[in-house]
Amino acid sequence: MNITSDVKDAKLTATVTIPAADVDAAIKKAYKDAAKRYRFPGFRAGRAPRPVIDNMLGAGAVLAQATNNLIGENEPRVLNELDIVPVKDGNYENVDNIVKDHEDYTYTIEFQLRPSCELSSYDPVEIEMPPAEVTEGEIDAQIEMLMGYHATFKDAEHAVEDGNYVTVDIENVKNAEALAGEGRMVVIGSGNLPAAFDEGVTGMSIDETKEISWTPEVEGAEEATVKVTVKGIKERELPELTDEFVKTSFGFDDIAAMRDAVKIELDADKSSKLPGIKENRAVAKLAERLELEKVDEDYEQSIFSELGQNFLQSLAGRGMTLDSWLKMSNMSTDAFLADLHHQADDVARESLALDALARKLEIEVTDEDIDAEFERAGVQDPEASKAAFLAEGRMPAIRDTIRRSKAVDWLVDNAVVTEVDEYAKADAE
């Protein structure tokens, strides 16, 4: 097989030539399959000669099938040879010729690729990270969360304030079906509702009604409007933290013992989570440098589909359907899809940024890298898995994964880190 290719505007056009020997083998197989598939009077199954088959099915019918078979079976080899991961199926619209006996066969195929972008800078990223050691602020926050299990609520004697638990009737005026409902309890300032909703409800009194509008920060989203009536306002009160309360409610001898235990738990949690936090922040910071105004729709859609499939598989593993999850989450289908598109856009930008960094660093993927990747995957037979990936044209995706992983390793290793006690910073603000 011989391939020549040209890339323009993220479209790769490949001209593929298949040797005559392979063409003859494909034609022979197509006639053999036709002889088995159809009944030809006077011949046993699979025994009809070519002239009889041509007379019954048409002279070009089997050759056309041989052409389709040859192109389809050859595509994985083309993908592997070109080392590409198209964002959608190849375009064969320009293929209008069929195979001929004893002749090479040449055809042209077009693949849509993800865009090749640049970064505004390839310098190491600068990120903020929590201190490696557990801080007093983190201990305080954890203890406050634990104390929250013993919180009580009392009716407020003032208008709605930040942090209040407010009972509201919400009527959908337009594009806000997911929020509608009577007697809903919302926490102002929790971040679970649009900021404009929290701002609109703040300052309202019991039995007051107001219309609140906002536009979701998702491309193409329409303005949403609700009519809100405040039915009740409650304040959350935490019990006093004393040695006696700690001993009675949590089983510690005193506050100091509780803080020591919390510190041990937080330290173990930090050790496991900090590497992932560093990686996520470094990649997100790199994506901010991507010189791309809008992600290609086909590429975004391919990631959107992958994220959706993964999410549905995760739900199925928990014995849930999407409908049941949406009801439990009080989310509309439209809101879910909009959020998934937003996630797909973020993932696409991060992937394109890592691709750009990998090109700049001239990262290469060796056979040893591929072997190690399959070993890490924990498959029972790595060699058989590699053979399957090659046969299906999926090896370029493995190389993409390895290149990006190497780019992430460089990014994390070279990141300029400033430690910030985020709990102390929040208190100061």
Side-chain angles (χ1 to χ4, degrees), residues 149-160:
Y149 294 123
H150 299 272
T152 57
F153 297 87
K154 69 173 185 179
D155 292 332
E157 298 180 357
H158 53 68
V160 176

Side-chain angles (χ1 to χ4, degrees), residues 163-299:
N164 285 166
Y165 288 67
V166 185
T167 302
V168 291
D169 290 344
I170 304 177
E171 178 185 341
N172 173 43
V173 177
K174 61 177 181 179
N175 303 319
E177 297 87 351
L179 289 183
E182 294 185 356
R184 290 198 56 185
M185 174 72 78
V186 299
V187 183
I188 304 302
S190 65
N192 294 326
L193 294 170
F197 181 93
D198 284 352
E199 292 172 4
V201 173
T202 299
M204 291 180 66
S205 301
I206 292 177
D207 293 331
E208 183 179 349
T209 299
K210 177 193 289 188
E211 279 199 1
I212 301 172
S213 299
W214 69 93
T215 301
E217 295 181 0
V218 178
E219 185 175 349
E222 298 180 355
E223 183 183 62
T225 301
V226 293
K227 182 182 289 186
V228 181
T229 301
V230 174
K231 308 301 290 186
I233 308 170
K234 290 186 178 293
E235 294 179 308
R236 177 172 175 263
E237 287 190 330
L238 296 178
E240 183 181 358
L241 182 63
T242 64
D243 289 338
E244 183 62 28
F245 182 83
V246 164
K247 187 172 184 177
T248 302
S249 301
F250 299 104
F252 296 105
D253 290 338
D254 51 30
I255 296 173
M258 182 180 185
R259 294 184 70 85
D260 289 342
V262 167
K263 183 177 181 180
I264 292 172
E265 290 293 326
L266 289 176
D267 187 61
D269 193 48
K270 266 197 167 188
S271 298
S272 63
K273 290 184 177 179
L274 280 180
I277 293 173
K278 185 176 182 181
E279 179 178 312
N280 291 339
R281 292 187 180 183
V283 172
K285 185 63 70 172
L286 185 75
E288 294 176 5
R289 300 176 177 178
L290 189 69
E291 295 185 329
L292 181 68
E293 184 175 342
K294 186 177 184 298
V295 173
D296 175 77
E297 290 184 6
D298 290 327
Y299 183 46

Side-chain angles (χ1 to χ4, degrees), residues 224-405:
T225 301
V226 293
K227 182 182 289 186
V228 181
T229 301
V230 174
K231 308 301 290 186
I233 308 170
K234 290 186 178 293
E235 294 179 308
R236 177 172 175 263
E237 287 190 330
L238 296 178
E240 183 181 358
L241 182 63
T242 64
D243 289 338
E244 183 62 28
F245 182 83
V246 164
K247 187 172 184 177
T248 302
S249 301
F250 299 104
F252 296 105
D253 290 338
D254 51 30
I255 296 173
M258 182 180 185
R259 294 184 70 85
D260 289 342
V262 167
K263 183 177 181 180
I264 292 172
E265 290 293 326
L266 289 176
D267 187 61
D269 193 48
K270 266 197 167 188
S271 298
S272 63
K273 290 184 177 179
L274 280 180
I277 293 173
K278 185 176 182 181
E279 179 178 312
N280 291 339
R281 292 187 180 183
V283 172
K285 185 63 70 172
L286 185 75
E288 294 176 5
R289 300 176 177 178
L290 189 69
E291 295 185 329
L292 181 68
E293 184 175 342
K294 186 177 184 298
V295 173
D296 175 77
E297 290 184 6
D298 290 327
Y299 183 46
E300 189 271 346
Q301 183 61 41
S302 70
I303 293 179
F304 172 84
S305 298
E306 182 179 354
L307 291 177
Q309 290 171 2
N310 291 341
F311 184 72
L312 291 177
Q313 289 174 359
S314 174
L315 289 180
R318 289 183 279 164
M320 297 181 66
T321 65
L322 179 59
D323 284 342
S324 62
W325 183 85
L326 290 174
K327 289 178 180 177
M328 183 183 72
S329 304
N330 200 26
M331 178 181 286
S332 68
T333 301
D334 288 344
F336 168 74
L337 293 176
D339 182 64
L340 197 61
H341 274 295
H342 184 73
Q343 291 181 47
D345 187 81
D346 287 343
V347 171
R349 290 181 177 278
E350 290 179 354
S351 299
L352 293 173
L354 289 172
D355 289 343
L357 180 60
R359 286 193 300 272
K360 181 68 174 179
L361 297 175
E362 298 181 346
I363 289 175
E364 296 182 355
V365 177
T366 66
D367 291 341
E368 290 75 15
D369 291 329
I370 293 174
D371 290 342
E373 187 71 17
F374 279 90
E375 290 289 345
R376 278 194 295 271
V379 294
Q380 189 171 7
D381 189 340
E383 290 302 320
S385 291
K386 283 194 293 182
F389 270 71
L390 280 169
E392 296 165 6
R394 294 193 289 155
M395 194 59 77
I398 296 297
R399 285 193 281 268
D400 266 358
T401 297
I402 295 171
R403 274 189 286 266
R404 287 173 180 169
S405 293

Side-chain angles (χ1 to χ4, degrees), residues 57-74:
L57 301 180
V62 178
L63 291 179
Q65 185 60 52
T67 302
N68 290 336
N69 293 344
L70 191 64
I71 291 176
E73 293 169 1
N74 199 53

